Amino acid sequence: MFGPQVPTVPVTEIADDTYLLDVREDDEWTAGHAPDAHHLSMTELPARLAEVPTDREVAVICRSGGRSAQVVAYLMNNGWDQVRNADGGMRQWAAVGRPVVDTEGRPGQVI
């Protein structure tokens, strides 16, 4: 009815070698993000699509999972097959104790 279901991955199962794509806005990223994440806001994605790898696992994350689910669907429609939505987003990431840093590398917060 609404197309294929967007595949998800629990934040606790995102491996260190997974390309973690954070699609939140600049202020959200600045306040706090996963240390090894790559930032590309959702609105910039179409113009910078080539920056997202196609040869490895990609996990897409936002604050709670809504925007990242849209990005996963967009990537899947554009040929990505190793892409998953980080279930629960950065809120869940922080809740399970995974590290969050600000742009200076200090402890960050999810906004």
Side-chain angles (χ1 to χ4, degrees), residues 5-38:
Q5 183 174 353
V6 171
T8 62
V9 60
V11 295
T12 55
E13 294 180 17
I14 296 174
D16 291 340
D17 61 344
T18 298
Y19 187 91
L20 183 60
L21 177 61
D22 190 322
V23 296
R24 296 175 300 147
E25 295 300 319
D26 291 343
D27 61 330
E28 294 172 291
W29 169 264
T30 299
H33 57 271
D36 294 325
H38 303 269

PDB file of all heavy atoms in Angstrom, residues 5-38:
ATOM      1  N   GLN A   5       8.663  -1.830   3.046  1.00  0.00           N
ATOM      2  CA  GLN A   5       8.998  -1.375   4.386  1.00  0.00           C
ATOM      3  C   GLN A   5      10.466  -0.979   4.426  1.00  0.00           C
ATOM      4  O   GLN A   5      11.311  -1.635   3.821  1.00  0.00           O
ATOM      5  CB  GLN A   5       8.718  -2.481   5.391  1.00  0.00           C
ATOM      6  CG  GLN A   5       8.968  -2.059   6.819  1.00  0.00           C
ATOM      7  CD  GLN A   5       8.547  -3.136   7.802  1.00  0.00           C
ATOM      8  OE1 GLN A   5       7.959  -4.138   7.429  1.00  0.00           O
ATOM      9  NE2 GLN A   5       8.861  -2.925   9.056  1.00  0.00           N
ATOM     10  N   VAL A   6      10.765   0.068   5.167  1.00  0.00           N
ATOM     11  CA  VAL A   6      12.138   0.531   5.302  1.00  0.00           C
ATOM     12  C   VAL A   6      12.865  -0.387   6.284  1.00  0.00           C
ATOM     13  O   VAL A   6      12.399  -0.589   7.402  1.00  0.00           O
ATOM     14  CB  VAL A   6      12.156   1.995   5.803  1.00  0.00           C
ATOM     15  CG1 VAL A   6      13.561   2.434   6.153  1.00  0.00           C
ATOM     16  CG2 VAL A   6      11.543   2.924   4.766  1.00  0.00           C
ATOM     17  N   PRO A   7      13.990  -0.971   5.874  1.00  0.00           N
ATOM     18  CA  PRO A   7      14.734  -1.841   6.785  1.00  0.00           C
ATOM     19  C   PRO A   7      15.362  -1.036   7.925  1.00  0.00           C
ATOM     20  O   PRO A   7      15.820   0.090   7.721  1.00  0.00           O
ATOM     21  CB  PRO A   7      15.796  -2.479   5.897  1.00  0.00           C
ATOM     22  CG  PRO A   7      15.929  -1.585   4.728  1.00  0.00           C
ATOM     23  CD  PRO A   7      14.615  -0.861   4.575  1.00  0.00           C
ATOM     24  N   THR A   8      15.364  -1.619   9.113  1.00  0.00           N
ATOM     25  CA  THR A   8      15.922  -0.942  10.276  1.00  0.00           C
ATOM     26  C   THR A   8      17.015  -1.792  10.908  1.00  0.00           C
ATOM     27  O   THR A   8      17.124  -2.993  10.654  1.00  0.00           O
ATOM     28  CB  THR A   8      14.842  -0.669  11.342  1.00  0.00           C
ATOM     29  OG1 THR A   8      14.309  -1.914  11.791  1.00  0.00           O
ATOM     30  CG2 THR A   8      13.731   0.209  10.802  1.00  0.00           C
ATOM     31  N   VAL A   9      17.803  -1.149  11.752  1.00  0.00           N
ATOM     32  CA  VAL A   9      18.823  -1.821  12.542  1.00  0.00           C
ATOM     33  C   VAL A   9      18.798  -1.184  13.933  1.00  0.00           C
ATOM     34  O   VAL A   9      18.758   0.037  14.057  1.00  0.00           O
ATOM     35  CB  VAL A   9      20.223  -1.702  11.879  1.00  0.00           C
ATOM     36  CG1 VAL A   9      20.673  -0.270  11.717  1.00  0.00           C
ATOM     37  CG2 VAL A   9      21.256  -2.506  12.651  1.00  0.00           C
ATOM     38  N   PRO A  10      18.786  -1.996  14.993  1.00  0.00           N
ATOM     39  CA  PRO A  10      18.877  -1.425  16.341  1.00  0.00           C
ATOM     40  C   PRO A  10      20.211  -0.696  16.499  1.00  0.00           C
ATOM     41  O   PRO A  10      21.240  -1.153  15.989  1.00  0.00           O
ATOM     42  CB  PRO A  10      18.815  -2.648  17.263  1.00  0.00           C
ATOM     43  CG  PRO A  10      18.221  -3.741  16.433  1.00  0.00           C
ATOM     44  CD  PRO A  10      18.638  -3.458  15.023  1.00  0.00           C
ATOM     45  N   VAL A  11      20.207   0.419  17.213  1.00  0.00           N
ATOM     46  CA  VAL A  11      21.452   1.179  17.369  1.00  0.00           C
ATOM     47  C   VAL A  11      22.524   0.356  18.077  1.00  0.00           C
ATOM     48  O   VAL A  11      23.720   0.578  17.852  1.00  0.00           O
ATOM     49  CB  VAL A  11      21.224   2.527  18.095  1.00  0.00           C
ATOM     50  CG1 VAL A  11      20.351   3.447  17.260  1.00  0.00           C
ATOM     51  CG2 VAL A  11      20.651   2.334  19.483  1.00  0.00           C
ATOM     52  N   THR A  12      22.112  -0.607  18.885  1.00  0.00           N
ATOM     53  CA  THR A  12      23.085  -1.462  19.576  1.00  0.00           C
ATOM     54  C   THR A  12      23.781  -2.428  18.635  1.00  0.00           C
ATOM     55  O   THR A  12      24.809  -3.008  18.992  1.00  0.00           O
ATOM     56  CB  THR A  12      22.394  -2.258  20.695  1.00  0.00           C
ATOM     57  OG1 THR A  12      21.291  -2.984  20.132  1.00  0.00           O
ATOM     58  CG2 THR A  12      21.908  -1.339  21.806  1.00  0.00           C
ATOM     59  N   GLU A  13      23.245  -2.608  17.421  1.00  0.00           N
ATOM     60  CA  GLU A  13      23.836  -3.543  16.461  1.00  0.00           C
ATOM     61  C   GLU A  13      24.564  -2.860  15.308  1.00  0.00           C
ATOM     62  O   GLU A  13      24.978  -3.523  14.358  1.00  0.00           O
ATOM     63  CB  GLU A  13      22.746  -4.468  15.922  1.00  0.00           C
ATOM     64  CG  GLU A  13      22.174  -5.386  16.990  1.00  0.00           C
ATOM     65  CD  GLU A  13      21.096  -6.314  16.478  1.00  0.00           C
ATOM     66  OE1 GLU A  13      20.989  -6.506  15.246  1.00  0.00           O
ATOM     67  OE2 GLU A  13      20.343  -6.837  17.314  1.00  0.00           O
ATOM     68  N   ILE A  14      24.727  -1.556  15.381  1.00  0.00           N
ATOM     69  CA  ILE A  14      25.469  -0.849  14.341  1.00  0.00           C
ATOM     70  C   ILE A  14      26.952  -1.051  14.605  1.00  0.00           C
ATOM     71  O   ILE A  14      27.484  -0.640  15.638  1.00  0.00           O
ATOM     72  CB  ILE A  14      25.110   0.655  14.305  1.00  0.00           C
ATOM     73  CG1 ILE A  14      23.632   0.830  13.933  1.00  0.00           C
ATOM     74  CG2 ILE A  14      26.016   1.394  13.315  1.00  0.00           C
ATOM     75  CD1 ILE A  14      23.133   2.257  14.007  1.00  0.00           C
ATOM     76  N   ALA A  15      27.618  -1.730  13.679  1.00  0.00           N
ATOM     77  CA  ALA A  15      29.038  -2.057  13.830  1.00  0.00           C
ATOM     78  C   ALA A  15      29.907  -0.817  13.634  1.00  0.00           C
ATOM     79  O   ALA A  15      29.513   0.146  12.968  1.00  0.00           O
ATOM     80  CB  ALA A  15      29.424  -3.131  12.812  1.00  0.00           C
ATOM     81  N   ASP A  16      31.096  -0.875  14.214  1.00  0.00           N
ATOM     82  CA  ASP A  16      32.031   0.245  14.107  1.00  0.00           C
ATOM     83  C   ASP A  16      32.422   0.562  12.679  1.00  0.00           C
ATOM     84  O   ASP A  16      32.728   1.708  12.353  1.00  0.00           O
ATOM     85  CB  ASP A  16      33.294  -0.032  14.926  1.00  0.00           C
ATOM     86  CG  ASP A  16      33.029  -0.023  16.425  1.00  0.00           C
ATOM     87  OD1 ASP A  16      32.003   0.541  16.858  1.00  0.00           O
ATOM     88  OD2 ASP A  16      33.853  -0.595  17.165  1.00  0.00           O
ATOM     89  N   ASP A  17      32.410  -0.445  11.780  1.00  0.00           N
ATOM     90  CA  ASP A  17      32.819  -0.207  10.396  1.00  0.00           C
ATOM     91  C   ASP A  17      31.653   0.180   9.488  1.00  0.00           C
ATOM     92  O   ASP A  17      31.841   0.374   8.287  1.00  0.00           O
ATOM     93  CB  ASP A  17      33.554  -1.414   9.836  1.00  0.00           C
ATOM     94  CG  ASP A  17      32.699  -2.670   9.804  1.00  0.00           C
ATOM     95  OD1 ASP A  17      31.645  -2.712  10.483  1.00  0.00           O
ATOM     96  OD2 ASP A  17      33.082  -3.628   9.105  1.00  0.00           O
ATOM     97  N   THR A  18      30.466   0.335  10.060  1.00  0.00           N
ATOM     98  CA  THR A  18      29.312   0.792   9.287  1.00  0.00           C
ATOM     99  C   THR A  18      29.429   2.290   9.041  1.00  0.00           C
ATOM    100  O   THR A  18      29.842   3.041   9.924  1.00  0.00           O
ATOM    101  CB  THR A  18      28.000   0.504  10.058  1.00  0.00           C
ATOM    102  OG1 THR A  18      27.872  -0.903  10.232  1.00  0.00           O
ATOM    103  CG2 THR A  18      26.782   1.044   9.325  1.00  0.00           C
ATOM    104  N   TYR A  19      29.088   2.724   7.847  1.00  0.00           N
ATOM    105  CA  TYR A  19      29.066   4.150   7.523  1.00  0.00           C
ATOM    106  C   TYR A  19      27.805   4.724   8.154  1.00  0.00           C
ATOM    107  O   TYR A  19      26.693   4.414   7.736  1.00  0.00           O
ATOM    108  CB  TYR A  19      29.051   4.339   6.003  1.00  0.00           C
ATOM    109  CG  TYR A  19      29.190   5.767   5.542  1.00  0.00           C
ATOM    110  CD1 TYR A  19      30.446   6.303   5.279  1.00  0.00           C
ATOM    111  CD2 TYR A  19      28.074   6.578   5.357  1.00  0.00           C
ATOM    112  CE1 TYR A  19      30.592   7.608   4.835  1.00  0.00           C
ATOM    113  CE2 TYR A  19      28.208   7.887   4.917  1.00  0.00           C
ATOM    114  CZ  TYR A  19      29.469   8.395   4.661  1.00  0.00           C
ATOM    115  OH  TYR A  19      29.595   9.699   4.225  1.00  0.00           O
ATOM    116  N   LEU A  20      27.965   5.523   9.206  1.00  0.00           N
ATOM    117  CA  LEU A  20      26.838   6.107   9.923  1.00  0.00           C
ATOM    118  C   LEU A  20      26.577   7.501   9.368  1.00  0.00           C
ATOM    119  O   LEU A  20      27.401   8.404   9.513  1.00  0.00           O
ATOM    120  CB  LEU A  20      27.118   6.156  11.422  1.00  0.00           C
ATOM    121  CG  LEU A  20      25.988   6.669  12.307  1.00  0.00           C
ATOM    122  CD1 LEU A  20      24.731   5.810  12.173  1.00  0.00           C
ATOM    123  CD2 LEU A  20      26.450   6.722  13.763  1.00  0.00           C
ATOM    124  N   LEU A  21      25.435   7.650   8.716  1.00  0.00           N
ATOM    125  CA  LEU A  21      25.065   8.900   8.060  1.00  0.00           C
ATOM    126  C   LEU A  21      24.037   9.636   8.916  1.00  0.00           C
ATOM    127  O   LEU A  21      22.914   9.176   9.082  1.00  0.00           O
ATOM    128  CB  LEU A  21      24.488   8.610   6.672  1.00  0.00           C
ATOM    129  CG  LEU A  21      23.980   9.806   5.877  1.00  0.00           C
ATOM    130  CD1 LEU A  21      25.109  10.802   5.609  1.00  0.00           C
ATOM    131  CD2 LEU A  21      23.347   9.335   4.572  1.00  0.00           C
ATOM    132  N   ASP A  22      24.430  10.774   9.469  1.00  0.00           N
ATOM    133  CA  ASP A  22      23.556  11.597  10.307  1.00  0.00           C
ATOM    134  C   ASP A  22      22.916  12.661   9.418  1.00  0.00           C
ATOM    135  O   ASP A  22      23.609  13.495   8.838  1.00  0.00           O
ATOM    136  CB  ASP A  22      24.385  12.252  11.413  1.00  0.00           C
ATOM    137  CG  ASP A  22      23.556  12.934  12.475  1.00  0.00           C
ATOM    138  OD1 ASP A  22      22.530  13.554  12.138  1.00  0.00           O
ATOM    139  OD2 ASP A  22      23.946  12.857  13.660  1.00  0.00           O
ATOM    140  N   VAL A  23      21.589  12.626   9.299  1.00  0.00           N
ATOM    141  CA  VAL A  23      20.882  13.516   8.376  1.00  0.00           C
ATOM    142  C   VAL A  23      20.160  14.660   9.084  1.00  0.00           C
ATOM    143  O   VAL A  23      19.317  15.322   8.501  1.00  0.00           O
ATOM    144  CB  VAL A  23      19.899  12.721   7.484  1.00  0.00           C
ATOM    145  CG1 VAL A  23      20.652  11.749   6.597  1.00  0.00           C
ATOM    146  CG2 VAL A  23      18.837  12.003   8.299  1.00  0.00           C
ATOM    147  N   ARG A  24      20.532  14.919  10.334  1.00  0.00           N
ATOM    148  CA  ARG A  24      19.899  16.008  11.080  1.00  0.00           C
ATOM    149  C   ARG A  24      20.424  17.367  10.616  1.00  0.00           C
ATOM    150  O   ARG A  24      21.407  17.460   9.882  1.00  0.00           O
ATOM    151  CB  ARG A  24      20.145  15.823  12.579  1.00  0.00           C
ATOM    152  CG  ARG A  24      19.493  14.553  13.121  1.00  0.00           C
ATOM    153  CD  ARG A  24      19.838  14.308  14.573  1.00  0.00           C
ATOM    154  NE  ARG A  24      21.282  14.174  14.730  1.00  0.00           N
ATOM    155  CZ  ARG A  24      21.954  14.574  15.817  1.00  0.00           C
ATOM    156  NH1 ARG A  24      21.315  15.123  16.835  1.00  0.00           N
ATOM    157  NH2 ARG A  24      23.266  14.413  15.880  1.00  0.00           N
ATOM    158  N   GLU A  25      19.785  18.414  11.096  1.00  0.00           N
ATOM    159  CA  GLU A  25      20.183  19.775  10.746  1.00  0.00           C
ATOM    160  C   GLU A  25      21.480  20.160  11.470  1.00  0.00           C
ATOM    161  O   GLU A  25      21.894  19.511  12.428  1.00  0.00           O
ATOM    162  CB  GLU A  25      19.061  20.757  11.097  1.00  0.00           C
ATOM    163  CG  GLU A  25      17.793  20.540  10.283  1.00  0.00           C
ATOM    164  CD  GLU A  25      18.008  20.692   8.777  1.00  0.00           C
ATOM    165  OE1 GLU A  25      18.747  21.611   8.356  1.00  0.00           O
ATOM    166  OE2 GLU A  25      17.457  19.879   8.026  1.00  0.00           O
ATOM    167  N   ASP A  26      22.114  21.240  11.013  1.00  0.00           N
ATOM    168  CA  ASP A  26      23.408  21.655  11.541  1.00  0.00           C
ATOM    169  C   ASP A  26      23.405  21.875  13.048  1.00  0.00           C
ATOM    170  O   ASP A  26      24.344  21.469  13.735  1.00  0.00           O
ATOM    171  CB  ASP A  26      23.886  22.936  10.840  1.00  0.00           C
ATOM    172  CG  ASP A  26      24.254  22.709   9.387  1.00  0.00           C
ATOM    173  OD1 ASP A  26      24.459  21.541   8.978  1.00  0.00           O
ATOM    174  OD2 ASP A  26      24.336  23.705   8.644  1.00  0.00           O
ATOM    175  N   ASP A  27      22.368  22.510  13.586  1.00  0.00           N
ATOM    176  CA  ASP A  27      22.343  22.778  15.027  1.00  0.00           C
ATOM    177  C   ASP A  27      22.242  21.495  15.837  1.00  0.00           C
ATOM    178  O   ASP A  27      22.848  21.369  16.906  1.00  0.00           O
ATOM    179  CB  ASP A  27      21.217  23.744  15.402  1.00  0.00           C
ATOM    180  CG  ASP A  27      19.828  23.219  15.073  1.00  0.00           C
ATOM    181  OD1 ASP A  27      19.665  22.450  14.110  1.00  0.00           O
ATOM    182  OD2 ASP A  27      18.873  23.609  15.787  1.00  0.00           O
ATOM    183  N   GLU A  28      21.520  20.514  15.323  1.00  0.00           N
ATOM    184  CA  GLU A  28      21.411  19.231  16.002  1.00  0.00           C
ATOM    185  C   GLU A  28      22.764  18.514  16.009  1.00  0.00           C
ATOM    186  O   GLU A  28      23.188  17.943  17.014  1.00  0.00           O
ATOM    187  CB  GLU A  28      20.371  18.346  15.314  1.00  0.00           C
ATOM    188  CG  GLU A  28      18.957  18.876  15.407  1.00  0.00           C
ATOM    189  CD  GLU A  28      18.000  18.081  14.548  1.00  0.00           C
ATOM    190  OE1 GLU A  28      18.099  18.161  13.298  1.00  0.00           O
ATOM    191  OE2 GLU A  28      17.166  17.367  15.132  1.00  0.00           O
ATOM    192  N   TRP A  29      23.436  18.529  14.862  1.00  0.00           N
ATOM    193  CA  TRP A  29      24.755  17.916  14.724  1.00  0.00           C
ATOM    194  C   TRP A  29      25.752  18.579  15.674  1.00  0.00           C
ATOM    195  O   TRP A  29      26.515  17.907  16.360  1.00  0.00           O
ATOM    196  CB  TRP A  29      25.222  18.028  13.280  1.00  0.00           C
ATOM    197  CG  TRP A  29      26.659  17.671  13.057  1.00  0.00           C
ATOM    198  CD1 TRP A  29      27.716  18.535  13.002  1.00  0.00           C
ATOM    199  CD2 TRP A  29      27.209  16.358  12.861  1.00  0.00           C
ATOM    200  NE1 TRP A  29      28.885  17.833  12.777  1.00  0.00           N
ATOM    201  CE2 TRP A  29      28.599  16.505  12.694  1.00  0.00           C
ATOM    202  CE3 TRP A  29      26.653  15.082  12.817  1.00  0.00           C
ATOM    203  CZ2 TRP A  29      29.451  15.433  12.475  1.00  0.00           C
ATOM    204  CZ3 TRP A  29      27.498  13.999  12.599  1.00  0.00           C
ATOM    205  CH2 TRP A  29      28.875  14.169  12.433  1.00  0.00           C
ATOM    206  N   THR A  30      25.763  19.909  15.696  1.00  0.00           N
ATOM    207  CA  THR A  30      26.696  20.656  16.529  1.00  0.00           C
ATOM    208  C   THR A  30      26.524  20.308  18.008  1.00  0.00           C
ATOM    209  O   THR A  30      27.504  20.145  18.727  1.00  0.00           O
ATOM    210  CB  THR A  30      26.508  22.174  16.311  1.00  0.00           C
ATOM    211  OG1 THR A  30      26.775  22.461  14.933  1.00  0.00           O
ATOM    212  CG2 THR A  30      27.433  22.995  17.180  1.00  0.00           C
ATOM    213  N   ALA A  31      25.288  20.165  18.454  1.00  0.00           N
ATOM    214  CA  ALA A  31      25.006  19.883  19.867  1.00  0.00           C
ATOM    215  C   ALA A  31      25.475  18.493  20.277  1.00  0.00           C
ATOM    216  O   ALA A  31      25.953  18.296  21.396  1.00  0.00           O
ATOM    217  CB  ALA A  31      23.519  20.035  20.155  1.00  0.00           C
ATOM    218  N   GLY A  32      25.325  17.513  19.380  1.00  0.00           N
ATOM    219  CA  GLY A  32      25.745  16.168  19.739  1.00  0.00           C
ATOM    220  C   GLY A  32      25.494  15.160  18.646  1.00  0.00           C
ATOM    221  O   GLY A  32      24.412  15.125  18.069  1.00  0.00           O
ATOM    222  N   HIS A  33      26.509  14.343  18.383  1.00  0.00           N
ATOM    223  CA  HIS A  33      26.433  13.302  17.350  1.00  0.00           C
ATOM    224  C   HIS A  33      27.333  12.141  17.726  1.00  0.00           C
ATOM    225  O   HIS A  33      28.148  12.243  18.643  1.00  0.00           O
ATOM    226  CB  HIS A  33      26.841  13.880  15.982  1.00  0.00           C
ATOM    227  CG  HIS A  33      28.201  14.487  15.983  1.00  0.00           C
ATOM    228  ND1 HIS A  33      28.419  15.813  16.293  1.00  0.00           N
ATOM    229  CD2 HIS A  33      29.428  13.965  15.745  1.00  0.00           C
ATOM    230  CE1 HIS A  33      29.711  16.077  16.227  1.00  0.00           C
ATOM    231  NE2 HIS A  33      30.343  14.958  15.897  1.00  0.00           N
ATOM    232  N   ALA A  34      27.173  11.041  17.038  1.00  0.00           N
ATOM    233  CA  ALA A  34      28.055   9.895  17.237  1.00  0.00           C
ATOM    234  C   ALA A  34      29.455  10.278  16.752  1.00  0.00           C
ATOM    235  O   ALA A  34      29.591  10.934  15.712  1.00  0.00           O
ATOM    236  CB  ALA A  34      27.529   8.690  16.464  1.00  0.00           C
ATOM    237  N   PRO A  35      30.492   9.898  17.494  1.00  0.00           N
ATOM    238  CA  PRO A  35      31.855  10.335  17.151  1.00  0.00           C
ATOM    239  C   PRO A  35      32.302  10.031  15.727  1.00  0.00           C
ATOM    240  O   PRO A  35      33.003  10.836  15.122  1.00  0.00           O
ATOM    241  CB  PRO A  35      32.731   9.588  18.159  1.00  0.00           C
ATOM    242  CG  PRO A  35      31.833   9.293  19.301  1.00  0.00           C
ATOM    243  CD  PRO A  35      30.466   9.093  18.711  1.00  0.00           C
ATOM    244  N   ASP A  36      31.925   8.901  15.164  1.00  0.00           N
ATOM    245  CA  ASP A  36      32.397   8.524  13.830  1.00  0.00           C
ATOM    246  C   ASP A  36      31.361   8.741  12.732  1.00  0.00           C
ATOM    247  O   ASP A  36      31.529   8.250  11.613  1.00  0.00           O
ATOM    248  CB  ASP A  36      32.845   7.059  13.834  1.00  0.00           C
ATOM    249  CG  ASP A  36      34.065   6.846  14.719  1.00  0.00           C
ATOM    250  OD1 ASP A  36      34.918   7.743  14.775  1.00  0.00           O
ATOM    251  OD2 ASP A  36      34.145   5.783  15.364  1.00  0.00           O
ATOM    252  N   ALA A  37      30.307   9.476  13.044  1.00  0.00           N
ATOM    253  CA  ALA A  37      29.245   9.715  12.058  1.00  0.00           C
ATOM    254  C   ALA A  37      29.699  10.703  10.983  1.00  0.00           C
ATOM    255  O   ALA A  37      30.636  11.483  11.181  1.00  0.00           O
ATOM    256  CB  ALA A  37      27.996  10.237  12.751  1.00  0.00           C
ATOM    257  N   HIS A  38      29.008  10.642   9.858  1.00  0.00           N
ATOM    258  CA  HIS A  38      29.222  11.568   8.748  1.00  0.00           C
ATOM    259  C   HIS A  38      27.963  12.418   8.634  1.00  0.00           C
ATOM    260  O   HIS A  38      26.853  11.881   8.585  1.00  0.00           O
ATOM    261  CB  HIS A  38      29.453  10.792   7.445  1.00  0.00           C
ATOM    262  CG  HIS A  38      30.599   9.853   7.546  1.00  0.00           C
ATOM    263  ND1 HIS A  38      31.878  10.217   7.207  1.00  0.00           N
ATOM    264  CD2 HIS A  38      30.673   8.572   7.975  1.00  0.00           C
ATOM    265  CE1 HIS A  38      32.693   9.195   7.416  1.00  0.00           C
ATOM    266  NE2 HIS A  38      31.970   8.187   7.881  1.00  0.00           N
TER     267      HIS A  38
END
